[in-house]
Amino acid sequence: GNKNNKRHRVIPRTMNAVITAAANQARQKPVKLTHNQEVARLYRKSLKTLCSWVIDREIFLEEATNLRSRFDSERGCSNAKAVRLLKEGKAELFEFTHPDPYCVPFMPGGSLFMRNPPPPLEICFPDGDIPADAPKHTLNPDMSICTPETGKVAVGSVLVDFGKKNME
C-alpha cells in the first residue's frame, strides 16, 4: 500500500522532468536585446493586447494614441528610471493580458496555421535539379522567413506552444 502511493508520486515528477528537458532542447536560445528593442517589443505587445480587449476601431485608435503618448513622455529619461519603467510596463502588460488573445489566423493557434505549408524543394525536385529562380529561403511554421536576427529560425526542431499561441 505505502510503496504504491510513494511510487505514484515519483512518476509524475520524473515524467515532468523528461518533458521539460525535451521542451528545453526544442526551445531556441533567447536573443540578447538592447534596451530600445525591449521597449519597442513592450510597445508592440501592448498594442496587441489592446487589440484583444478593444473591438471598436475608433476606440482602439484613441487608446493606442494614449498608449503612444505614455511611451513618448518618458523618452530620454535616465537609465535607472528606464529600467524601472520597463519592469513596471512588463508587470502592467502581464496584469492586462487577455485570457483568450486575438490570434492572426495563419499564426500558431489560428485556424489557418500550417494549412498549406510549402513542400520542401527536395520533394518537388527529387532529381536535385532545382531551378535557379526557386526560392532559396526556409520558412518558419508561422510562414515568416527564417532569419537569425529575429530569433526565429526553424532549423531542426521548433516548439510551437498552442497555449501561448506562439513559436519558441
Side-chain angles (χ1 to χ4, degrees), residues 40-94:
R41 287 190 179 187
L42 177 64
Y43 178 67
R44 183 176 174 154
K45 287 178 183 177
S46 300
L47 284 175
K48 287 184 177 189
T49 302
L50 181 63
C51 184
S52 293
W53 284 107
V54 179
I55 298 170
D56 188 338
R57 189 71 179 162
E58 291 299 319
I59 296 172
F60 173 79
L61 293 174
E62 183 180 325
E63 292 298 321
T65 304
N66 294 341
L67 181 66
R68 180 60 190 225
S69 65
R70 284 180 66 190
F71 273 81
D72 286 340
S73 68
E74 301 296 342
R75 185 182 291 245
C77 63
S78 69
N79 192 26
K81 186 175 181 182
V83 170
R84 181 181 56 81
L85 287 171
L86 188 62
K87 184 178 177 184
E88 290 173 0
K90 287 179 180 179
E92 186 177 340
L93 178 65
F94 180 76

Side-chain angles (χ1 to χ4, degrees), residues 6-162:
K6 201 175 205 180
R7 197 171 79 194
H8 287 294
R9 277 185 263 149
V10 173
I11 290 173
R13 288 184 184 160
T14 305
M15 184 65 92
N16 191 19
V18 171
I19 291 171
T20 304
N24 287 338
Q25 284 182 344
R27 263 192 200 99
Q28 296 182 15
K29 303 296 179 242
V31 178
K32 180 66 180 155
L33 301 174
T34 65
H35 177 73
N36 286 344
Q37 288 173 321
E38 286 190 53
V39 171
R41 287 190 179 187
L42 177 64
Y43 178 67
R44 183 176 174 154
K45 287 178 183 177
S46 300
L47 284 175
K48 287 184 177 189
T49 302
L50 181 63
C51 184
S52 293
W53 284 107
V54 179
I55 298 170
D56 188 338
R57 189 71 179 162
E58 291 299 319
I59 296 172
F60 173 79
L61 293 174
E62 183 180 325
E63 292 298 321
T65 304
N66 294 341
L67 181 66
R68 180 60 190 225
S69 65
R70 284 180 66 190
F71 273 81
D72 286 340
S73 68
E74 301 296 342
R75 185 182 291 245
C77 63
S78 69
N79 192 26
K81 186 175 181 182
V83 170
R84 181 181 56 81
L85 287 171
L86 188 62
K87 184 178 177 184
E88 290 173 0
K90 287 179 180 179
E92 186 177 340
L93 178 65
F94 180 76
E95 179 185 344
F96 288 110
T97 299
H98 197 281
D100 187 25
Y102 173 76
C103 170
V104 180
F106 58 84
M107 295 297 280
S111 59
L112 298 176
F113 177 65
M114 291 299 288
R115 183 166 291 176
N116 295 311
L121 291 176
E122 297 80 33
I123 302 284
C124 297
F125 305 100
D127 58 354
D129 216 11
I130 300 173
D133 61 343
K136 302 282 189 259
H137 54 266
T138 306
L139 294 178
N140 290 313
D142 65 356
M143 301 306 220
S144 62
I145 296 175
C146 290
T147 57
E149 297 83 33
T150 61
K152 292 194 306 188
V153 183
V155 177
S157 59
V158 175
L159 181 65
V160 176
D161 188 345
F162 286 97

